[in-house]
Amino acid sequence: QITLKESGPTLVKPTQTLTLTCTFSGFSLSTTEVGVGWIRQPPGKALEWLAHIYGSDHKKYSTALKSRLSITKDTSKNQVVLTMTNMEAADTATYYCAHLSATLKYSFDMWGQGTVVTVSS
Amino acid sequence: DIQMTQSPSSLSASVGDRVTITCRSSQSISNYLNWYQQKPGKAPDLLIYGASTLQSGVPARFSGSGSGTEFTLTISNLQPEDFATYFCQQSFDFYTYSLGQGTRVEI
């Protein structure tokens, strides 16, 4: 059974760096067929894909946020970490991590519960 | 980047209705199109992948079709638990996995 859970600060000040951790179980992030992605959703708005990383360490970022994002994996700890620099109010959102399945047409087939991040001084 | 556009942004329907949601991509994405359902306060759930393949456990009243740049999600015999927001997502672009803006299905 695949599970994912996001963790990190609930409140971040403007200009600070956000670090979110996705801790997962039920799969190993060590093959090219499996990945973990981050998606966020501002209150009342649409989902926005941010970044993803595959077991091969192939990683990609949203074009709009590329300069501010970094995604890494720790296979031994079953964790994926997303960092976002220079946070601003517009980054207030629920942040989700999700399992990426190449066998299911690179869809996000399992999601974490999400973690709410508020950017405010 | 590939842009995804859903229509309508919201719709009203009744239990038992047949509902169709459209998703268009700014360039051809073959059948690399996935659909998600999201209920208030919850994470999204995968409904359909590869444009037309139902995820395990999803009721057969959901169906997907399309290829290239135009795709549809159809819900036949709408049930009370189907009132939610639906998102499409393209996974054709190996570099960016963009999503549509969502379609809210209301009573």
Side-chain angles (χ1 to χ4, degrees):
Chain A
Q1 179 188 3
I2 291 174
T3 64
L4 305 100
K5 187 171 184 179
E6 308 86 351
S7 60
T10 57
L11 181 64
V12 175
K13 288 181 167 51
T15 76
Q16 285 187 336
T17 294
L18 171 70
T19 299
L20 294 174
T21 301
C22 177
T23 303
F24 57 85
S25 63
F27 66 96
S28 175
L29 195 51
S30 57
T31 71
T32 58
E33 301 299 302
V34 172
V36 171
W38 284 94
I39 304 97
R40 71 178 180 180
Q41 186 171 38
K45 296 189 177 180
L47 298 166
E48 178 184 16
W49 168 81
L50 299 177
H52 64 253
I53 185 167
Y54 279 95
S56 59
D57 208 37
H58 168 82
K59 58 186 78 170
K60 289 300 171 183
Y61 302 98
S62 160
T63 301
L65 296 168
K66 185 175 183 178
S67 63
R68 299 172 53 204
L69 293 173
S70 174
I71 189 168
T72 59
K73 65 182 176 73
D74 186 330
T75 306
S76 65
K77 292 183 179 179
N78 280 355
Q79 291 181 334
V80 170
V81 175
L82 180 77
T83 61
M84 181 180 293
T85 61
N86 196 24
M87 294 290 285
E88 55 186 69
D91 297 315
T92 293
T94 298
Y95 287 76
Y96 298 99
C97 65
H99 175 264
L100 255 179
S101 173
T103 58
L104 301 185
K105 286 293 192 186
Y106 302 94
S107 61
F108 296 105
D109 63 331
M110 292 297 296
W111 296 61
Q113 63 189 24
T115 187
V116 177
V117 177
T118 301
V119 183
S120 175
S121 56
Chain B
D1 293 358
I2 297 175
Q3 307 301 318
M4 307 302 294
T5 304
Q6 285 181 238
S7 60
S9 56
S10 65
L11 63 90
S12 296
S14 300
V15 173
D17 282 356
R18 178 186 176 94
V19 165
T20 299
I21 299 168
T22 299
C23 179
R24 291 184 174 88
S25 56
S26 59
Q27 64 188 73
S28 178
I29 58 173
S30 183
N31 68 338
Y32 285 81
L33 191 284
N34 310 305
W35 290 98
Y36 301 86
Q37 176 194 65
Q38 186 181 33
K39 296 183 179 178
K42 301 293 185 182
D45 290 317
L46 176 65
L47 288 178
I48 289 170
Y49 61 91
S52 60
T53 303
L54 234 55
Q55 169 68 328
S56 176
V58 174
R61 62 180 180 273
F62 290 91
S63 64
S65 65
S67 182
T69 62
E70 187 157 336
F71 304 85
T72 59
L73 170 68
T74 299
I75 313 170
S76 57
N77 188 21
L78 196 68
Q79 295 299 296
E81 60 267 30
D82 301 335
F83 292 95
T85 301
Y86 295 85
F87 294 92
C88 62
Q89 175 238 337
Q90 66 83 14
S91 54
F92 177 81
D93 185 347
F94 190 56
Y95 301 99
T96 62
Y97 291 166
S98 44
L99 294 112
Q101 79 276 22
T103 296
R104 184 176 178 183
V105 176
E106 303 173 310
I107 299 174

